[in-house]
Amino acid sequence: MYGINNLIKIINKDFRGNMNNNYGLKIYYISTMIMAILIVIAIITNYYLNKSLIFSKALNLPTKYNQHFDIYNNLEINTIKSFIYFISNNKEIGNLYVNRDKNALYASTKPILDSLSKDNSITHFYFIDKDSKVFLRVHNFNEDNDYINRYTFNKAKNDNTIFAGNEFGKMNTFTLRVVQPWIVNNTLIGYLELGKEIDKLSDEMTKELGVDVYYFISKKLYHNLNIDNKEHLINNEKYILAYHTNNSNYSLDNYHEITNLENKWIYSNNKIFVKTSENLYDVSNQNIGYKIFLIDVTDEYLGLEKKFIFYTLITVFCAFFMIILGYILSSKKQKELNLLLKKLESKKIKFMNLYLQQKNLLSLFDIGESILFSHS
């Protein structure tokens, strides 16, 4: 009798539990939310990975810039060599120089410089004596009689051969210089030098690559600083911005952001940049400052953000749709389960009634038996 009572209690408890709890729906909700969270984590991870790729790709642009610059630099050197060859073989120019007629030499060569400047962006033109004294700067008539002590000139003089390279000079310009010993009838009469400032070499390349470059030269190398030569502190030393491009319209008031040498993101004027830097060396391999690169990645970054927003919205929509669909399907299943449970409940009641009837019947037999034995 005790065993049957326990069985009925367990069945009763189980039926009540299943009637009051929608376990399937809860499990579905939990699994759907976990899946949505995992998808969101995957999207966020993908976002930061792609952001990192944009950053890494931008950091590779200075290498491409330097490669293009070296190729273009070498082409320019060969072109300038041909100009110097033409000048050195001009007898009229040679005679004017040998006769030390500065005014006539200037009058003869100034049109040549104007033509070279217009067609080939040549900015410097020197006549230098054998003792390294400047006889004539065609590009600056009033500056002469100073002595040249630049690496490019000394190399050409000491090796008695044409030499070229990028070097910072007395006029505070970083310039590609080509120096050639001027030999007439097997006799050295002086030196010819043509130069092209860095901006003439770099402007077109930066436009093609979508990068801005800033050349900061150590203040120690400057001669006769003027009001336009603003000082910038980099690594606790003073540098002057000698040249820069501005393809991206970056605000010139934000130099404190780019003079920090860390590779980093910069957000300015609704644009997004990656900034990187490297040491600046001249032809003698002397570290004279820094090249700081500002790469405009606005389009790539905004494209990435649009994809991130799109995929996030799709994920939210899908998760919401799955929750609604799950609710509908689970509710339907739950109704079927509830109907089944009601049937089982009905059978349970019948079973309980039958059990009570049997129990009452057994009680009658027990009473009858007790009466019989008492009369005997």
Side-chain angles (χ1 to χ4, degrees), residues 10-22:
I10 291 169
I11 291 172
N12 192 44
K13 182 180 178 182
D14 184 60
F15 275 120
R16 287 178 181 172
N18 281 290
M19 289 291 286
N20 296 326
N21 295 287
N22 297 330

Side-chain angles (χ1 to χ4, degrees), residues 256-315:
H256 63 281
E257 285 190 292
I258 64 172
T259 51
N260 180 333
L261 297 180
E262 285 183 46
N263 296 337
K264 66 175 187 176
W265 297 92
I266 291 180
Y267 304 87
S268 175
N269 298 331
N270 298 318
K271 286 195 172 185
I272 301 149
F273 305 93
V274 171
K275 185 198 69 66
T276 185
S277 61
E278 60 183 38
N279 291 329
L280 175 62
Y281 296 93
D282 66 7
V283 65
S284 67
N285 208 34
Q286 177 188 0
N287 185 350
I288 62 172
Y290 294 98
K291 278 188 289 185
I292 294 179
F293 296 90
L294 201 62
I295 302 101
D296 187 350
V297 294
T298 305
D299 292 340
E300 295 92 331
Y301 192 89
L302 292 180
L304 175 61
E305 283 197 336
K306 286 179 181 178
K307 287 181 181 178
F308 174 73
I309 293 170
F310 174 76
Y311 289 130
T312 300
L313 289 175
I314 289 293
T315 301

